[in-house]
Amino acid sequence: PLKIKIDKAFMELIGLYLAEGCTTKHETKWSFGWHEHNTLADHCVDLIRQVFCIEATKKLNTETTIISINSKHIARFFRMLFYDGKGHKVRNKRIPLWIMKLPQNKVRYLLRGLWLGDGHMSKKTFTIGSVNETMLRQAKALFSKCSVYTNIYLTKPTYRNQTHQLIVASKFLADCEYVFGIKHPRLNKIQRYRVADCALDRGGYFSLPIEKIIKNEYNGKVYDISVPDTHSFVAGGAVVSNSPMESIVEWLTFLIQA
């Protein structure tokens, strides 16, 4: 199609691609576990049909199910939009800025696709795992749009790559059920975690208590970022503010000139 609708099917397919997809110059693939060939893989084929109006190829191997599209135009579409420009490996995947700015009723479907591909449900949590920490932090920001507070943890090293886990727990499981469209079986029996209970939803961001302040000695240049009007910005997933140094300098200048 000449135009693609930014709808539920498109967003969920993108989420699945960020979790399970890869591209070559002429082909786009989604890889699923063999046990998922009658469920998630078929769902991916249906999404591709809805979004691109073509039939994808489904191939079953010993351990995996491969869904592929043989089209250089579609491959170029994914390579241009969903990578950082430094490569096309898992660690290079990114959620583009225009998707980050979409409203909650659209980004929830991308998060659902990401969880279907890279997530699982434990007794007390919803979890998404990935070696791509940057992409998980982008997902964390999108969860905030949906009023869901998340934590990111680094797992212990294994014989494979060390992974990061984005975890939804406690009272935010109910809101996450709405995002994923999947009910957590033990929602009413879960004992709430202390940190999550202290997180106050401010409508798109959360207020959290400061647990510890660590001071480090530093000798070098310090850069003060100034933002017009609000004087605040997001850094590392937290809302921070520039220092009042500029106004202090202006005030001292005024006193000297006076």
Side-chain angles (χ1 to χ4, degrees):
L2 295 177
K3 294 183 179 181
I4 297 175
K5 292 183 178 180
I6 311 300
D7 56 9
K8 173 184 176 182
F10 174 80
M11 296 298 288
E12 195 165 322
L13 182 63
I14 296 307
L16 281 174
Y17 179 81
L18 292 171
E20 305 287 6
C22 65
T23 60
T24 63
K25 290 184 178 180
H26 300 281
E27 194 173 25
T28 307
K29 297 180 181 180
W30 287 258
S31 301
F32 303 100
W34 184 88
H35 62 287
E36 298 171 317
H37 72 92
N38 285 328
T39 53
L40 193 52
D42 286 345
H43 181 54
C44 182
V45 170
D46 183 56
L47 292 175
I48 292 170
R49 186 184 302 117
Q50 294 180 54
V51 174
F52 295 112
C53 303
I54 58 175
E55 290 296 325
T57 302
K58 180 179 177 182
K59 182 179 180 181
L60 274 67
N61 296 326
T62 306
E63 297 181 352
T64 60
T65 302
I66 307 296
I67 306 300
S68 62
I69 306 172
N70 190 5
S71 167
K72 65 179 182 180
H73 301 295
I74 293 177
R76 189 183 302 127
F77 170 82
F78 280 97
R79 290 165 75 90
M80 288 180 62
L81 291 183
F82 302 105
Y83 291 90
D84 61 5
K86 300 178 181 179
H88 297 97
K89 297 183 180 298
V90 175
R91 295 181 185 274
N92 300 113
K93 288 181 178 178
R94 297 292 185 269
I95 302 173
L97 181 60
W98 61 270
I99 285 184
M100 298 294 294
K101 292 182 176 181
L102 290 176
Q104 174 264 342
N105 63 340
K106 291 187 180 295
V107 299
R108 59 174 285 216
Y109 295 110
L110 182 147
L111 295 173
R112 170 180 163 81
L114 187 62
W115 183 80
L116 288 174
D118 269 346
H120 68 273
M121 184 191 306
S122 70
K123 291 182 178 180
K124 296 184 178 181
T125 68
F126 285 116
T127 301
I128 298 174
S130 176
V131 298
N132 191 332
E133 181 185 5
T134 301
M135 187 180 70
L136 282 187
R137 293 198 176 279
Q138 289 182 302
K140 180 182 177 73
L142 294 183
F143 272 110
S144 294
K145 276 193 174 185
C146 302
S147 297
V148 177
Y149 176 73
T150 60
N151 279 312
I152 296 178
Y153 298 96
L154 186 64
T155 62
K156 293 181 179 180
T158 63
Y159 67 96
R160 295 183 177 180
N161 291 319
Q162 192 170 17
T163 62
H164 296 78
Q165 290 189 335
L166 183 148
I167 295 176
V168 181
S170 187
K171 62 184 179 182
F172 298 104
L173 284 174
D175 293 315
C176 201
E177 286 181 348
Y178 163 74
V179 174
F180 294 156
I182 298 171
K183 186 173 180 59
H184 197 289
R186 296 192 61 192
L187 178 62
N188 297 327
K189 300 179 182 179
I190 293 173
Q191 184 177 5
R192 295 180 176 181
Y193 296 161
R194 181 178 62 84
V195 173
D197 279 339
C198 294
L200 301 178
D201 184 3
R202 301 291 188 180
Y205 64 96
F206 297 92
S207 295
L208 293 171
I210 297 174
E211 294 190 339
K212 183 188 295 185
I213 297 177
I214 300 175
K215 295 183 178 181
N216 295 316
E217 294 293 331
Y218 175 75
N219 183 16
K221 291 184 178 180
V222 177
Y223 296 90
D224 191 15
I225 299 175
S226 179
V227 180
D229 300 326
T230 62
H231 302 286
S232 61
F233 51 95
V234 177
V239 178
V240 297
S241 176
N242 55 286
S243 74
M245 184 57 67
E246 183 178 346
S247 58
I248 292 174
V249 171
E250 291 177 353
W251 175 245
L252 291 175
T253 303
F254 170 77
L255 290 178
I256 293 173
Q257 291 177 348

